[in-house]
Amino acid sequence: MQHTFCSFVRHMVRVICTVSWQGLILVILQSPDGDVIDCVPSHLQPAFDHPRLRGQKPEEEPAARPGNDHAMEDDDEEEVLPQTWRSSGEWCPKGTIPVRRTTEGDLLRASSVRRFGMKPRSAAARRDSTSNGHEHAVGYVSGGQFYGAKASLNVWPAQVSSPAEFSLSQIWVISGSFGNDLNTIEAGWQVSPELYGDNSPRFFTYWTSDAYQETGCYNLHCAGFVQTNGRVVIGAAITPVSAYGGRQFDITLMIWKDPKKGNWWLQLGPSGALVGYWPSSLFTHLGARGRGGADMVQFGGEAVNTRPSGSHTPTQMGSGRFPGEGYGRAAYFRNVQVVDWDNNLIPAAGLRLLADHPGCYDIAGGQGGAWGSYFYYGGPGRNVRCP
């Protein structure tokens, strides 16, 4: 039997429903931006529908983290990531995780319902190829084994001109070849009208174990990523965001491999809060325990141009401004680091910079001071240098 109680909080335009179902109390929250957030018991989250994860429960947090990073205390009330859904101060109850509900509207916007929540197969093209319409401005390290990556990146309300396009800024952890066996783990912020129905920058994750063919997805749209944090909604809007010529707002992300169990954990914010992990069993190259690390780590932006044979899209990357405009105007990554074989955070030595179309989206880096290894990146898309 199901019993439902809903209370309406008018001043925050928020609906809170409590549903009793099979002995469980399920809480439903409505965000001011229209998102519906389901508070799902941790052991019933989408990840555990995966055949390799059925019957499991979330793992305990790793005892050791790279470098001097630390865990947030359990009683720390600091907000992990400012998001619109949290503006009323409501949280999901202990023992549950907040999951952004997929609506009928989300499915109707999708170019393919079967591939809803997945990147196109063409996303696996090499970084020196732009024939697929995916354009990048990235810093990357390769030629070794990497066991994680960390950086801080500022968040912008990038303008996306077509529902079929997106703009994102993220960290990629990559292993395998850019053929059919590519493994990637990804996290950052993105603007995607098709996926979310608006132009808000949203926190996202992604993974694939077969070069974006049939495995993996954004956020929690498929079984895979195991969320352990009850204060972050993956796929929810980030607020505040950076303002041109004004206050800058950035987020700190770290992805790293637990050397004992081989899972890849996602850490968010200066407080060191863990969001969850990608189980090692999801992957081939990235899944090996011990010394099975990544061949490449990338940091930067990606924008989709759906008019590669005509005029270039005006979809922005980053702030929509070129790197030369600098702080307060251009998007940046700062304190760019990688995790070595001994679980140490070290500067990303030999960071190489690549812009597919510098006249559309460019990148320029530097080194030193409190920012360590850093770069500015992005651009407006179509302009006099990018017709």
Side-chain angles (χ1 to χ4, degrees):
M1 180 176 293
Q2 175 175 304
H3 301 283
T4 303
F5 171 76
C6 295
S7 63
F8 297 85
V9 186
R10 292 183 179 179
H11 68 286
M12 293 308 300
V13 198
R14 177 179 291 269
V15 182
I16 304 174
C17 294
T18 303
V19 180
S20 176
W21 175 75
Q22 295 186 0
L24 299 172
I25 303 298
L26 308 181
V27 177
I28 304 169
L29 308 175
Q30 184 167 350
S31 172
D33 63 3
D35 283 355
V36 176
I37 310 300
D38 294 310
C39 299
V40 177
S42 296
H43 66 286
L44 296 179
Q45 64 179 287
F48 299 122
D49 290 332
H50 195 286
R52 295 177 184 173
L53 303 176
R54 285 197 186 114
Q56 296 185 24
K57 294 182 179 180
E59 297 272 3
E60 294 292 326
E61 295 184 358
R65 302 195 190 186
N68 296 318
D69 275 81
H70 62 281
M72 183 173 67
E73 297 296 328
D74 289 340
D75 60 352
D76 194 337
E77 295 298 316
E78 180 183 349
E79 192 166 36
V80 177
L81 174 69
Q83 292 183 295
T84 303
W85 77 284
R86 287 290 317 282
S87 60
S88 73
E90 295 291 343
W91 290 350
C92 282
K94 189 173 182 179
T96 68
I97 61 160
V99 178
R100 180 182 182 272
R101 181 182 297 181
T102 298
T103 66
E104 181 181 6
D106 293 336
L107 296 174
L108 290 174
R109 287 191 308 273
S111 56
S112 167
V113 173
R114 190 181 75 82
R115 291 187 60 82
F116 174 74
M118 301 176 71
K119 287 189 176 183
R121 293 183 175 92
S122 57
R126 292 181 182 274
R127 291 295 172 256
D128 57 0
S129 171
T130 58
S131 61
N132 61 357
H134 289 246
E135 301 181 17
H136 304 83
V138 297
Y140 68 97
V141 291
S142 60
Q145 285 284 288
F146 308 98
Y147 299 87
K150 183 179 182 180
S152 297
L153 55 156
N154 57 348
V155 181
W156 291 90
Q159 298 301 302
V160 175
S161 68
S162 165
E165 298 177 344
F166 64 70
S167 181
L168 59 76
S169 299
Q170 67 171 67
I171 297 174
W172 290 261
V173 175
I174 302 170
S175 190
S177 65
F178 286 87
N180 293 322
D181 69 344
L182 188 74
N183 289 196
T184 76
I185 291 172
E186 310 171 29
W189 64 265
Q190 71 175 158
V191 177
S192 177
E194 181 179 287
L195 188 59
Y196 304 109
D198 61 22
N199 285 282
S200 298
R202 292 170 176 266
F203 174 58
F204 82 95
T205 62
Y206 200 91
W207 69 275
T208 181
S209 63
D210 64 353
Y212 305 98
Q213 301 299 304
E214 300 296 334
T215 65
C217 61
Y218 281 112
N219 308 331
L220 304 181
H221 287 304
C222 66
F225 183 83
V226 179
Q227 185 166 339
T228 58
N229 193 301
R231 301 181 183 182
V232 176
V233 173
I234 303 175
I238 301 171
T239 183
V241 297
S242 300
Y244 183 78
R247 179 178 180 268
Q248 300 300 290
F249 176 78
D250 64 25
I251 59 176
T252 300
L253 301 173
M254 182 168 71
I255 300 168
W256 92 99
K257 187 173 187 178
D258 176 11
K260 290 191 174 180
K261 295 194 175 182
N263 300 322
W264 290 82
W265 285 82
L266 175 60
Q267 178 176 304
L268 181 63
S271 60
L274 296 180
V275 179
Y277 62 93
W278 293 269
S280 62
S281 59
L282 297 176
F283 304 102
T284 51
H285 301 289
L286 292 174
R289 295 193 181 190
R291 298 185 61 82
D295 303 324
M296 177 186 291
V297 174
Q298 290 187 169
F299 310 81
E302 176 182 354
V304 173
N305 175 26
T306 57
R307 291 166 279 182
S309 60
S311 60
H312 196 281
T313 180
T315 286
Q316 299 175 341
M317 179 188 294
S319 68
R321 303 288 178 142
F322 284 114
E325 295 201 31
Y327 183 78
R329 294 170 174 81
Y332 64 75
F333 274 70
R334 62 178 176 86
N335 302 110
V336 176
Q337 299 172 286
V338 295
V339 180
D340 70 7
W341 65 274
D342 201 25
N343 209 32
N344 295 310
L345 267 172
I346 59 174
L351 185 72
R352 288 177 280 183
L353 306 181
L354 171 68
D356 292 331
H357 285 166
C360 308
Y361 313 111
D362 206 357
I363 186 168
Q367 180 74 40
W371 277 27
S373 182
Y374 68 90
F375 59 83
Y376 291 99
Y377 70 100
R382 186 168 68 226
N383 67 92
V384 293
R385 298 194 298 163
C386 176

